[in-house]
Structures are given as C-alpha cells and as structure tokens.
Amino acid sequence: MRAMAVVSSESSVKGGARHNAPSATAQRYPTSCVACNVRDLCLPGGDSESAADLMDDMSYARRRLRRGESLYHAGTPFRSLYVVRSGFFKSFVVTEDGSEQVTGFQMAGELIGFDGIESDAHTVNVRALEDGLVCVIPFTQLERMASRSLGLQRQLHRLMSRAIVHNQGVMMVLATMNAEARVASFLLDLSQRFVARGYSAAEFLLRMTREEIGSYLGLKLETVSRVFSKLQQSRLIEVENKRISLLDAPGLRALTGGENRKRDVSPPLARAG
Amino acid sequence: MRAMAVVSSESSVKGGARHNAPSATAQRYPTSCVACNVRDLCLPGGDSESAADLMDDMSYARRRLRRGESLYHAGTPFRSLYVVRSGFFKSFVVTEDGSEQVTGFQMAGELIGFDGIESDAHTVNVRALEDGLVCVIPFTQLERMASRSLGLQRQLHRLMSRAIVHNQGVMMVLATMNAEARVASFLLDLSQRFVARGYSAAEFLLRMTREEIGSYLGLKLETVSRVFSKLQQSRLIEVENKRISLLDAPGLRALTGGENRKRDVSPPLARAG
DNA sequence: CGCAGTTTTGATTCATCTCAATTTGTGTGG
DNA sequence: CCACACAAATTGAGATGAATCAAAACTGCG
C-alpha cells in the first residue's frame, strides 16, 4: 500500500555540508518513510527496513506551516506526534503575565508533541519560525504499530529518552553556567544538531531572535547580544546579525566546561566521582 | 504464578495524611503489583487490573539500598528501570571538575532510569538519600509486555511524558525565577508529591541538604538558607532544620507566579496567549 | 522610503555569589 | 551519657555578573 519513492523537490538534507538555506518554497510533499531524508533521525530509524515499512503503512498526513503559524497550543487535545520534515520551530509556554518562555527549538528529524501524552493535552505551544513541513503521526496508531514491532517501539522509547536527556542537559546549563557559557553551549548544541543533518558545523543561520535565545537560556536579550560581541572579540565566533560562524569550537567548548561555571572555580584537586 | 498479597510491614503509603516518618528498618519485601501501595503511581496504573497482573508475571527483583548507596552510575549499562518502593533518592551528574550537580529527587512510586534508554547506558548517577527499596524492571521484558498490553504501553509513555513535562517545569523555574521563587516552587513541588502519596501537604522532612537543594535550583547553599529564613520571617513557612511546615501555600504560590519573576515585573496589560 | 522590530552598546542598580565566622546538629567512641 | 569531631546550617559584609534603563544604529518589510 505504501507509495514508492516518487522524486520530491524537498531539498536533500543528506550529503555535503552546506550552509542551511532558507527552505525552498516550491516543494512537493514527501512520499515515503523508506525514502525520507530525515529517516535516520526519525521514528523508523536507520537500521530496520521493517519499521519504515510499518510507518508507511500508516499513511499519515503532512502539514505545511507558514512562518509564524502554530502547530498546536497549550491545551490542544493530544492526538499526534509530529516529525519535522523541514523548517524550524520553537516551543514555549505563556506565563500568567503574558510573557513567552521558550522551552526549546526543533529542527528537521526531531519529534514534537511528547509533552501531550501524560495529560491527553499539550502543555506547551509550538510555532514555526520559518516555513516548514511536518509529518503527523496519530499516536494511538503509532502505539498499535509499536506493539507489532519491537524495533519501532524501542526507537520511540529512545527518542523520548533523548528528549529527557537533552532537557537534563539544559537544566545543567541553566543551573551551573554563567551567561558566556550558556551562550557557548547553545551554539555548540545547534552546531552539533546541524552536523547530524548534514549541514555545516561551523556556519549557520539563527532562526530565532536574541530575545528568544535569551528566554531559552534564562538571559536578557541585551546579555545575549553582549556575549555574542565578546565571543567575537575573542575570535571564537563571527556574528553578522543572524549568521553565525564558529571560528573555534574547542575554544567554545572550553568556555562551557573547565571554567565559567557560575563563578565557582574548580577545587584544588578534582577527583572523579 | 504471582504471589498473593502476603502482609508486609512496609509502611502503608495510602491513607490518612501523616508526617513522613523515617523508613522503617524492619521491612519485608513487597509482594505483588496488584497489592502494591504505590501502584497507582507506577507502571501498572490504578485503572487496569490486567496491567498489574502482567507486571506480576514478570516476577522482577527488588533491591534494597542503604543510605548513601548508589543505584547506578553514569556509564552503567542500561538494562532496567527502577520503581521506588520506599526511600528517597537523588540523581546527579559529576562535572569535570568533580562537583556534583543534582538533576532531580525521586520518591515512592516514581520511575528511575529513563536516562539510560537512548544510549544503552545511564547518563546520571542515582544515590539513596535514605534507606530504601526499589523494584527492578528489566526493560526488554517490559517492552515485550507493553506490546501485549496497550494499557501498559500507554502507562509507560505517560510516565516518560510526565518526566519530560516535569523537567520542562524545572527549566522554566531556572530560566525565569529568582531565588525566592525557585525555593518556593521547590517546596510546593515536594508538597504536591507528598500529597499524591498520602502524606501531609503542609509538613514534611527534607531528605536532602541545603547544598543539594541549591545545586538542583542553581543556587548556593547560603542563598537557600537565607531564603528559608526570609520565608519564615514572612510567616509563609516554618523551618526547623530538616523539618518544613508550609504555613501559607497560596502565599508561596503567589511568590512563584505573579511576581518574583527574575525582577521583570508584568507588562501593563497582560493578555492570554 | 519610512516605520516597526531587532540589535548593539553604555551607565547604573541590584540579586546573588563569595568569603568568613559562628552556631547547631549528628554520629562515634570512651 | 558525655565529649569530641565533623558535617550542616545560619548569618554578615563585601564583590560582581547580569538585569535594568536608555538611546542609537541597523534590518527588513510593506
């Protein structure tokens, strides 16, 4: 029942490292998990053909979003997970006083929607920061398939675990690092995720504003801007508005770890736990 | 195959709200999920008898830990999830400079181990803050059972989702709140979790040190202590070393929300998203 | 081409960290 | 049971990194 790989003009994600270009405007919908270019990062996984076949049997829908459009809101009944095919998203909650608090950024291949499973309703809002496309995966259907394929079930659990581990990493960043280190690890995290998608590790576009970065990192936008300037002066990065070049990734890494913990320098004799 | 509810002296968790007493020293191992007193919060869930039956069929092991003992370390191969039967645990990572960063506290009925699924190895350390008992749930076995029971599978997903949502909540706390608000929401979170277990919402013992609280909240222990003192002066709580009484929970709640965001007071006209 | 949103940069303020001293609590051995 | 040592908690005084307030420069869009 599953469609064979009809050629799509969706910009290929695999292949040589390139600058991440704005998403093409003239795209056809992708066709099959088997042929999907973000499949390795998605639910079917890279290893097993059968999981991809199974997913295709679901014949799930795609949904196209324009920049600024919402995928769902806090309170929206939970029915589906979403896989980002293309585009860039942010998740956020709106506090009582009406201000947005960014909880994450999502790019191609990443799953969105885990926040809704527990209470059958989403707890965060998700909005497209640029035009994009998502695969819609009805959750009960997914669970039925997962019970038929241990591989698919495991992949789902891996991805949820990854979300947990990633969030723990963010908690660490927020709890232990000063402004400079937070921004540095943010840039390294983005870089790493771009690499995993075949983009350049050293050069990319920030799809979000300084304010959104600051919100995510628990900093004010002015502070983010200042840190960018300082990192540039230290020749660690090059900033030109939304364009970022990492000139010295090891240098950035050093900022996040050895030093620049919240102004509490290492004890005389570090010992492993 | 499953054992019937042999009476255990494990202190009953359900029932009237009581002060959370130190865990009894003379306990027998619990016997069956069907009869378990933390079952509602655990994998079998409260609703379905069948899930509890299934879990019992697993005849999983229990493991007793003394205060200070480790359940697992970062790097330990991932094989099982653990359900806290009794006791109080902390999870933490050890940074390169040898200092501990607390990532969470776990109490009865809560699952531990999700951090290990993604990479087949645990990423955090877990240690008992008091004597305790955990159920050991071999993960591949659990997955096999989950594929036979959609209810069990869903409950597993709910619990993972809950972990994700809870961590997002912590991220929010760290990113947006000042010291006072962080401590207040920490106390309210603990209180709520104690209530869910049948303990008193208003009075409980802190099983962790000020330093561990501070680590978790991204504060120094002195700051935690100062906030405790201040909240006490404001008649919101009463502190006597490890013993905490919440005198005015709504007052605490008010601290976490309406005000006391990181010194950025609400905009003129708050509007809902 | 102008206007709104975004970003940068500067001057000042303030919350939290740091350093330090003291008190209190806890477990151990005589 | 007491004394001792050590860990944990409290409190104060001063230092500092990030927030705040403010203004100017830049970007992009209609």
Side-chain angles (χ1 to χ4, degrees):
Chain A
M1 201 65 251
R2 86 199 126 85
M4 277 315 293
V6 177
V7 174
S8 109
S9 63
E10 184 87 17
S11 63
S12 164
V13 171
K14 290 269 140 186
R18 282 159 286 93
H19 198 283
N20 58 349
S23 68
T25 44
Q27 302 172 325
R28 303 204 186 294
Y29 280 0
T31 51
S32 118
C33 288
V34 173
C36 179
N37 50 24
V38 295
R39 180 182 133 190
D40 292 0
L41 311 153
C42 177
L43 270 165
D47 312 333
S48 106
E49 293 298 316
S50 64
D53 282 0
L54 261 172
M55 292 292 293
D56 275 337
D57 286 347
M58 258 173 85
S59 68
Y60 45 78
R62 279 82 176 173
R63 183 164 155 206
R64 186 165 287 290
L65 290 104
R66 322 278 306 192
R67 177 173 192 235
E69 257 189 287
S70 283
L71 183 57
Y72 57 75
H73 294 280
T76 304
F78 170 72
R79 298 204 208 301
S80 309
L81 297 179
Y82 304 89
V83 181
V84 179
R85 273 304 300 253
S86 65
F88 205 95
F89 295 77
K90 75 166 174 182
S91 54
F92 61 99
V93 302
V94 178
T95 59
E96 303 138 36
D97 60 10
S99 64
E100 289 188 0
Q101 168 60 32
V102 175
T103 58
F105 299 103
Q106 295 81 28
M107 57 177 79
E110 292 176 341
L111 255 77
I112 300 181
F114 290 138
D115 60 290
I117 301 175
E118 192 205 346
S119 52
D120 291 319
H122 288 287
T123 61
V124 302
N125 310 273
V126 176
R127 182 176 302 164
L129 291 180
E130 59 174 359
D131 293 359
L133 182 67
V134 299
C135 296
V136 182
I137 307 181
F139 192 62
T140 51
Q141 219 169 319
L142 174 62
E143 285 185 324
R144 266 200 301 278
M145 287 195 310
S147 58
R148 276 189 263 128
S149 160
L150 282 176
L152 178 60
Q153 188 185 203
R154 175 55 70 101
Q155 179 69 2
L156 172 59
H157 295 158
R158 267 190 219 287
L159 290 172
M160 292 189 79
S161 173
R162 176 178 304 179
I164 289 170
V165 170
H166 191 269
N167 279 353
Q168 277 179 347
V170 176
M171 283 170 49
M172 286 274 309
V173 167
L174 294 174
T176 71
M177 293 184 187
N178 64 19
E180 210 174 315
R182 288 185 205 188
V183 172
S185 36
F186 174 70
L187 292 178
L188 289 168
D189 178 54
L190 278 187
S191 165
Q192 189 193 317
R193 285 155 75 189
F194 279 129
V195 166
R197 281 148 190 83
Y199 294 114
S200 166
E203 196 170 348
F204 47 86
L205 294 182
L206 298 175
R207 291 287 156 46
M208 70 295 284
T209 67
R210 305 286 192 264
E211 186 168 18
E212 288 165 333
I213 297 172
S215 172
Y216 180 60
L217 295 177
L219 303 170
K220 291 293 156 189
L221 66 135
E222 297 96 323
T223 304
V224 174
S225 180
R226 271 185 249 272
V227 170
F228 277 166
S229 300
K230 188 175 173 200
L231 293 179
Q232 182 161 45
Q233 286 208 314
S234 321
R235 317 257 67 209
L236 291 169
I237 68 173
E238 213 173 78
V239 199
E240 190 194 331
N241 207 27
K242 300 281 196 193
R243 202 186 55 73
I244 293 273
S245 301
L246 307 191
L247 303 180
D248 181 2
L252 287 173
R253 180 76 58 195
L255 275 189
T256 68
E259 173 55 31
N260 272 41
R261 299 278 158 175
K262 263 190 178 171
R263 188 146 64 95
D264 194 44
V265 192
S266 8
L269 283 179
R271 107 226 100 86
Chain B
M1 203 61 248
R2 85 198 126 84
M4 277 315 291
V6 176
V7 174
S8 105
S9 62
E10 183 88 16
S11 63
S12 164
V13 171
K14 290 267 138 184
R18 282 159 287 93
H19 197 283
N20 59 347
S23 67
T25 45
Q27 303 171 323
R28 302 205 187 295
Y29 281 0
T31 51
S32 118
C33 288
V34 173
C36 178
N37 49 24
V38 296
R39 179 182 134 191
D40 291 2
L41 310 154
C42 177
L43 271 165
D47 313 332
S48 106
E49 292 299 316
S50 64
D53 283 358
L54 260 174
M55 291 293 293
D56 276 337
D57 286 346
M58 256 173 89
S59 68
Y60 45 77
R62 280 82 176 171
R63 183 163 155 205
R64 186 165 286 291
L65 291 104
R66 323 277 306 193
R67 178 174 191 236
E69 257 188 288
S70 283
L71 183 56
Y72 57 75
H73 294 280
T76 304
F78 170 73
R79 298 204 209 301
S80 310
L81 297 179
Y82 304 88
V83 181
V84 180
R85 274 304 302 253
S86 65
F88 205 95
F89 295 78
K90 73 166 174 180
S91 54
F92 61 99
V93 302
V94 178
T95 59
E96 304 137 37
D97 61 9
S99 64
E100 289 187 2
Q101 169 60 32
V102 174
T103 57
F105 299 104
Q106 294 81 28
M107 55 178 80
E110 292 176 340
L111 255 77
I112 301 181
F114 290 138
D115 60 290
I117 301 175
E118 191 205 348
S119 53
D120 290 320
H122 289 289
T123 61
V124 302
N125 310 273
V126 176
R127 182 175 301 165
L129 291 179
E130 59 175 358
D131 295 357
L133 183 67
V134 298
C135 296
V136 182
I137 307 181
F139 192 62
T140 50
Q141 219 169 318
L142 174 62
E143 285 186 323
R144 267 199 301 276
M145 287 194 308
S147 56
R148 276 189 262 128
S149 159
L150 281 177
L152 178 60
Q153 188 184 203
R154 176 55 69 103
Q155 180 69 1
L156 172 60
H157 295 159
R158 267 190 219 287
L159 290 172
M160 292 189 79
S161 174
R162 175 179 303 178
I164 289 170
V165 171
H166 190 268
N167 280 352
Q168 276 178 347
V170 176
M171 283 169 49
M172 286 275 308
V173 167
L174 293 174
T176 70
M177 293 184 187
N178 66 17
E180 211 174 315
R182 289 185 204 187
V183 171
S185 36
F186 174 71
L187 292 177
L188 289 168
D189 178 55
L190 278 186
S191 166
Q192 189 193 319
R193 286 154 75 188
F194 280 129
V195 167
R197 283 150 188 80
Y199 294 114
S200 165
E203 196 171 347
F204 47 86
L205 294 182
L206 298 175
R207 289 283 152 51
M208 70 297 283
T209 67
R210 305 286 191 266
E211 186 168 18
E212 287 165 333
I213 296 172
S215 172
Y216 180 61
L217 295 177
L219 302 170
K220 290 294 155 188
L221 66 133
E222 296 97 325
T223 305
V224 174
S225 181
R226 272 186 251 271
V227 171
F228 277 166
S229 300
K230 188 176 174 200
L231 293 179
Q232 182 161 45
Q233 287 208 314
S234 320
R235 317 256 68 210
L236 291 169
I237 68 173
E238 213 173 77
V239 198
E240 190 194 330
N241 206 26
K242 300 283 195 191
R243 201 186 56 72
I244 293 273
S245 300
L246 307 191
L247 302 180
D248 181 3
L252 288 173
R253 180 76 57 194
L255 276 189
T256 68
E259 172 57 30
N260 271 42
R261 299 277 159 175
K262 264 192 177 171
R263 188 147 65 98
D264 193 47
V265 192
S266 7
L269 282 178
R271 108 225 99 88

